[in-house]
Amino acid sequence: MIKFDVKGYQISFWNYVSSHLQGEDMVNRMREMGCSLYMAPEHKREEGLPNVYRVLEKCEQYKMPCILYDHRVTLKAFRESGEEQYIRNLKEVNTLYGKFSSAAYLFICDEPNSDEDYKATARACALMREYIPEIHPFVSLNHVGMRSEQDADRVLEFTAQDLRPDFLLYNCYSQCMEEETDKLQGLENYFHNLAKFMRIGKRYDLPVWQSLVLVGHMCLAEPTQAQIRWQLNVAAAHGVKGFFWFHPIELGYSYDFRGYAIDCKGKTTPRFDILSYENNRFMEDIAARLCNYKHEKTFHLHLNSGDHESFYRDRDDLIADVYTDYNRPLVIGKFSHITDASRRAVMLVNASQEKVCHVRISFGGTTSFTDSFYLSAGSAKIYEFQN
């Protein structure tokens, strides 16, 4: 498998196009859009296999790991065909893809819902590790906000212990609600889930990844450029390392879904340029500076904290005080260097999705100074220190 830093910052996307309809050209598009991890088209029909091969070859050329979808090794296939047939399927799939160094993951399921789903997913993951050790199982969870507290904790513990994923990827889109009356509750749900996944991730040393909303649908708004930026930076300030955009490629004309980066004719839209800019900006400006740090803690200022710690003056050994005009909300992430304990970083994010934020921050410790600046909606600024 191509060398892949599962604990590094990664950007990917959900791809629901069938393999007989999409070839390797999309790899170039997604690289341009700022993705570092590719998701191949869904392979269900035999005539699509040459396209899958070409995708894997293109990914090898770019040294870009790839997530494969083959209907024979999904959770649905496991439950319908039984374990013996599933093992035969795994062996068959391994002969098809095992020769490609870009084949990093095989999709098993998205959003297991019941205890039966979770148990079957755990067994499918175990069988995949046994029969295709070079390609790892890929599973995405739903947000746990709809579950009771104890049930949510139980599901996350089961995932970490029994599914044993390389990373905790979960879907949560309530940070971009359409109706004004739903926005507060949507943000509460977003931060509640973020806290739960980060706790379990740190407990089991699992990187936390998020699926982010790109297209408006149902009660979810079509995110603005500021909201796209907000989703990346706010998550990163809480320690999230990977991001999946839902979902940039239009499948066909829809009376509901809106805001795609690539339309159903295969043409890029203005959204493509926006997403490409924000993804590349994040990877080049934020991820490149935080890649050698690990997350310590996160403070909230003038923001419904819920499970997160609120910032107060002199509460922290490094950050002495923070002030924002008009009580604009702020997220403050603290990071420590992976190998050098004397080095730390602080990430400030304007947690407003609409308003500019004027910030004044004072640092204490051995390097005392005050800084004053403006942050556009969802934007971030990073400080690095060495004692």
Side-chain angles (χ1 to χ4, degrees):
M1 182 169 65
I2 289 173
K3 186 178 181 182
F4 177 60
D5 183 8
V6 73
K7 293 190 177 182
Y9 287 92
Q10 307 292 343
I11 293 180
S12 191
F13 68 103
W14 289 100
N15 190 357
Y16 301 108
V17 180
S18 295
S19 60
H20 67 288
L21 299 175
Q22 187 185 92
E24 72 275 18
D25 289 346
M26 192 57 68
V27 180
N28 295 324
R29 288 271 181 86
M30 292 298 109
R31 284 185 78 243
E32 183 183 349
M33 203 179 75
C35 292
S36 57
L37 173 64
Y38 192 75
M39 178 172 272
E42 296 186 352
H43 181 54
K44 297 178 181 179
R45 293 167 56 167
E46 188 62 29
E47 60 263 40
L49 187 59
N51 276 344
V52 178
Y53 283 166
R54 284 191 285 268
V55 164
L56 287 166
E57 288 167 355
K58 180 67 74 172
C59 286
E60 282 186 336
Q61 177 185 334
Y62 292 133
K63 299 190 183 324
M64 188 179 192
C66 183
I67 303 161
L68 293 161
Y69 179 107
D70 191 297
H71 70 99
R72 288 164 290 194
V73 295
T74 62
L75 176 64
K76 183 174 184 290
F78 174 76
R79 299 189 73 168
E80 289 180 354
S81 63
E83 190 165 307
E84 289 187 7
Q85 181 59 50
Y86 190 74
I87 291 172
R88 287 192 288 270
N89 291 350
L90 288 170
K91 292 178 178 178
E92 181 180 353
V93 164
N94 192 34
T95 63
L96 298 178
Y97 309 129
K99 57 188 175 184
F100 293 96
S101 62
S102 55
Y105 290 95
L106 269 165
F107 175 95
I108 290 182
C109 74
D110 177 33
E111 297 186 356
N113 189 43
S114 64
D115 284 356
E116 291 73 20
D117 282 349
Y118 276 94
K119 290 175 182 177
T121 301
R123 183 56 183 157
C125 287
L127 290 171
M128 187 174 289
R129 289 191 189 94
E130 180 178 353
Y131 290 96
I132 317 182
E134 293 301 314
I135 306 179
H136 297 190
F138 176 89
V139 176
S140 177
L141 306 184
N142 199 357
H143 67 100
V144 295
M146 77 294 291
R147 294 176 175 267
S148 68
E149 286 297 290
Q150 290 184 343
D151 193 37
D153 292 338
R154 178 181 63 84
V155 164
L156 292 179
E157 286 284 348
F158 182 87
T159 298
Q161 293 182 12
D162 292 76
L163 270 65
R164 297 190 294 118
D166 284 2
F167 45 81
L168 279 173
L169 169 62
Y170 73 100
N171 311 327
C172 185
Y173 309 137
S174 64
Q175 61 273 19
C176 293
M177 302 300 291
E178 176 74 33
E179 298 298 332
E180 196 66 36
T181 52
D182 294 336
K183 289 182 178 179
L184 178 59
Q185 185 176 358
L187 285 173
E188 288 175 349
N189 179 66
Y190 170 82
F191 285 117
H192 178 61
N193 278 276
L194 182 52
K196 280 195 168 294
F197 277 90
M198 284 306 304
R199 274 198 294 269
I200 204 76
K202 288 190 174 185
R203 187 178 305 157
Y204 289 94
D205 194 25
L206 288 171
V208 174
W209 292 15
Q210 281 185 346
S211 182
L212 309 178
V213 62
L214 176 64
V215 290
H217 60 285
M218 296 168 35
C219 59
L220 301 173
E222 178 183 334
T224 64
Q225 182 168 355
Q227 288 176 311
I228 288 172
R229 184 168 57 243
W230 185 100
Q231 291 182 84
L232 290 167
N233 287 331
V234 166
H238 288 83
V240 175
K241 302 296 285 287
F243 309 92
F244 272 69
W245 286 107
F246 176 84
H247 60 103
I249 308 170
E250 185 179 39
L251 301 177
Y253 296 126
S254 172
Y255 53 81
D256 179 12
F257 284 68
R258 62 267 180 203
Y260 288 98
I262 299 172
D263 68 22
C264 59
K265 303 294 185 181
K267 296 180 179 179
T268 58
T269 72
R271 299 276 285 177
F272 179 90
D273 293 332
I274 290 172
L275 188 58
S276 176
Y277 175 82
E278 294 299 342
N279 281 344
N280 282 288
R281 176 185 180 178
F282 176 83
M283 293 298 280
E284 294 169 10
D285 184 41
I286 303 299
R289 298 183 66 186
L290 292 180
C291 62
N292 292 317
Y293 291 89
K294 61 182 178 181
H295 179 254
E296 255 184 56
K297 65 192 305 183
T298 301
F299 294 111
H300 285 191
L301 179 71
H302 307 314
L303 183 66
N304 190 308
S305 294
D307 306 83
H308 302 274
E309 188 174 352
S310 294
F311 181 84
Y312 298 103
R313 182 183 302 174
D314 295 327
R315 188 167 197 169
D316 187 72
D317 64 330
L318 179 60
I319 308 166
D321 196 12
V322 184
Y323 167 85
T324 63
D325 286 353
Y326 309 108
N327 291 335
R328 292 279 195 265
L330 204 66
V331 168
I332 309 164
K334 286 189 65 181
F335 300 80
S336 56
H337 199 271
I338 295 171
T339 58
D340 186 350
S342 70
R343 296 174 60 185
R344 290 190 289 177
V346 173
M347 180 180 183
L348 301 178
V349 183
N350 178 359
S352 170
Q353 297 181 358
E354 301 172 350
K355 303 288 187 179
V356 69
C357 178
H358 180 219
V359 183
R360 186 172 68 246
I361 183 167
S362 298
F363 293 97
T366 56
T367 310
S368 298
F369 70 97
T370 297
D371 195 13
S372 178
F373 56 93
Y374 285 87
L375 284 173
S376 63
S379 287
K381 183 171 183 178
I382 295 174
Y383 296 88
E384 295 181 78
F385 302 90
Q386 185 160 16
N387 295 337

